[in-house]
Amino acid sequence: MGDKVIISCATTGSAHTPTMSSALPITPQEIAIQSIDAANAGAAILHLHARLPQDGQPTGDPEIYRQFLPQIRQGTDAVINITTGGSTRMTVAERLEAAIEFQPELCSLNMGSINFSFFPAARRIQNWKHEWEKGYVENSDDYIFRNTFRDIATIIESMSIRGTKFEHECYDVGHLYNLKYFVDIGAVRPPFFIQMIFGIMGGIGADLDNLMFMKQAADRLFGPENFQWSVLAAGRHQMPFLTQAALMGGHVRVGLEDSLFIERGVLASSNAQQVEKIVRILSEMGRVPATPIEARTMLGLKGGDKLCV
């Protein structure tokens, strides 16, 4: 499958707010429709968060997930990936609640604690749609995304017994070494899936030298035969970084969680539009999107029929 690229699509996330883009899916219906459209455009994995439908605040409430997961499951065979990140304001138990309830094939798992900030975005906005947004964005200069070794162990133990594997999100090279600890003790077994993340304020910067360094470190720590790797980059770095990752043989992640734009100064109209763009870029390299079945094979997943919806 050397020419196959797993495209993940992170549809809504928790950092961007409704004021920032009218295309950001908020309601369960919007999340379902945009997720299915992204899968139809070529995404093999759907990375999912939930939001309160009335104002777009991030939520871990399984009842909100229940309003869109069945529709997505019926509309596509894409791999369902439920966040265990949620938001910086949630406890580990709150972040795990939906994953435990629905037992997806994949969950995201941040491999360490970081300063997770996006407060400069507030300077560009004068009028906010909802009262919660301004303080949420401005106060991110004081946010820590917590995932201690104990937190990570709790998430791995809680989901591994349910047959769920992980999108191991590594925001810096130290997170690769954290993952190495869990591989060494047998808590994480090959083939595992590393998501290298660049350009988040608080994580490793979006410099191409850092991409080479992270990939070389992962190869040295784990052996390239033991893992699949993917790249996401925030904001304006999204497409250039994904292009470089694909040239290096990696997989890619797009979506409005990571960037609200489709090109310089132009907001994306949907998640599917970003998927379509990366599919075009990949085609110029002679690479093609992996199907959900191919992604399951590469990542050793349990199968979409095991989702509890």
Side-chain angles (χ1 to χ4, degrees):
M1 297 188 187
D3 63 338
K4 299 288 186 174
V5 180
I6 298 172
I7 300 174
S8 297
C9 184
T11 56
T12 191
S14 63
H16 293 134
T17 71
T19 297
M20 296 176 183
S21 172
S22 60
L24 188 70
I26 300 299
T27 68
Q29 181 72 359
E30 291 168 346
I31 292 171
I33 290 172
Q34 287 219 34
S35 297
I36 294 168
D37 288 348
N40 289 338
I45 297 174
L46 298 171
H47 173 107
L48 300 171
H49 288 243
R51 293 177 179 266
L52 296 177
Q54 62 269 27
D55 62 6
Q57 289 192 67
T59 179
D61 186 353
E63 292 309 310
I64 302 296
Y65 279 90
R66 200 182 306 279
Q67 294 175 42
F68 60 78
L69 283 178
Q71 187 174 344
I72 294 172
R73 179 71 287 151
Q74 292 166 12
T76 175
D77 187 40
V79 174
I80 300 297
N81 176 354
I82 295 178
T83 182
T84 67
S87 85
T88 56
R89 301 191 298 184
M90 296 178 191
T91 66
V92 174
E94 289 170 334
R95 292 191 268 128
L96 262 172
E97 197 172 4
I100 289 174
E101 177 77 14
F102 300 110
Q103 304 180 34
E105 295 180 78
L106 272 178
C107 281
S108 66
L109 175 56
N110 289 17
M111 293 310 299
S113 303
I114 62 166
N115 293 331
F116 192 97
S117 299
F118 40 92
F119 60 91
R123 301 171 191 157
R124 300 189 290 271
I125 299 172
Q126 298 299 318
N127 299 307
W128 300 85
K129 289 182 180 179
H130 303 289
E131 185 176 349
W132 69 273
E133 295 180 76
K134 186 172 187 286
Y136 178 74
V137 177
E138 287 183 338
N139 291 331
S140 70
D141 63 349
D142 198 37
Y143 292 167
I144 294 174
F145 190 102
R146 170 192 161 128
N147 252 19
T148 63
F149 280 96
R150 184 180 296 178
D151 295 335
I152 295 169
T154 295
I155 294 169
I156 290 175
E157 291 164 8
S158 297
M159 299 313 304
S160 293
I161 61 173
R162 293 170 168 85
T164 297
K165 297 189 76 171
F166 300 95
E167 174 195 16
H168 293 280
E169 295 193 335
C170 295
Y171 290 77
D172 214 330
V173 68
H175 290 183
L176 292 173
Y177 283 84
N178 294 351
L179 175 57
K180 179 68 160 58
Y181 165 76
F182 288 100
V183 171
D184 285 347
I185 66 171
V188 174
R189 297 179 178 86
F192 47 89
F193 186 36
I194 300 174
Q195 187 71 256
M196 300 178 188
I197 300 174
F198 301 87
I200 298 294
M201 194 172 186
I204 197 167
D207 301 303
L208 289 176
D209 285 348
N210 289 339
L211 173 56
M212 298 293 294
F213 178 54
M214 288 278 280
K215 177 57 168 62
Q216 289 167 355
D219 286 346
R220 183 175 66 254
L221 290 171
F222 309 115
E225 70 280 4
N226 289 317
F227 67 96
Q228 298 288 335
W229 65 287
S230 177
V231 165
L232 75 86
R236 63 187 174 87
H237 305 290
Q238 184 185 62
M239 292 299 170
F241 253 71
L242 302 194
T243 301
Q244 183 63 35
L247 286 168
M248 294 168 59
H251 306 293
V252 298
R253 183 174 121 175
V254 296
L256 298 181
E257 173 174 349
D258 305 332
S259 174
L260 295 174
F261 292 84
I262 191 64
E263 59 184 69
R264 186 181 180 93
V266 180
L267 289 168
S269 61
S270 67
N271 282 281
Q273 187 184 31
Q274 290 187 352
V275 177
E276 290 163 355
K277 181 171 181 175
I278 196 61
V279 168
R280 291 195 300 272
I281 293 171
L282 293 172
S283 70
E284 294 295 327
M285 305 177 192
R287 304 196 69 193
V288 294
T291 67
I293 291 174
E294 290 166 340
R296 289 183 175 100
T297 298
M298 284 188 271
L299 301 179
L301 302 182
K302 63 181 180 179
D305 59 330
K306 304 299 192 298
L307 184 72
C308 296
V309 295

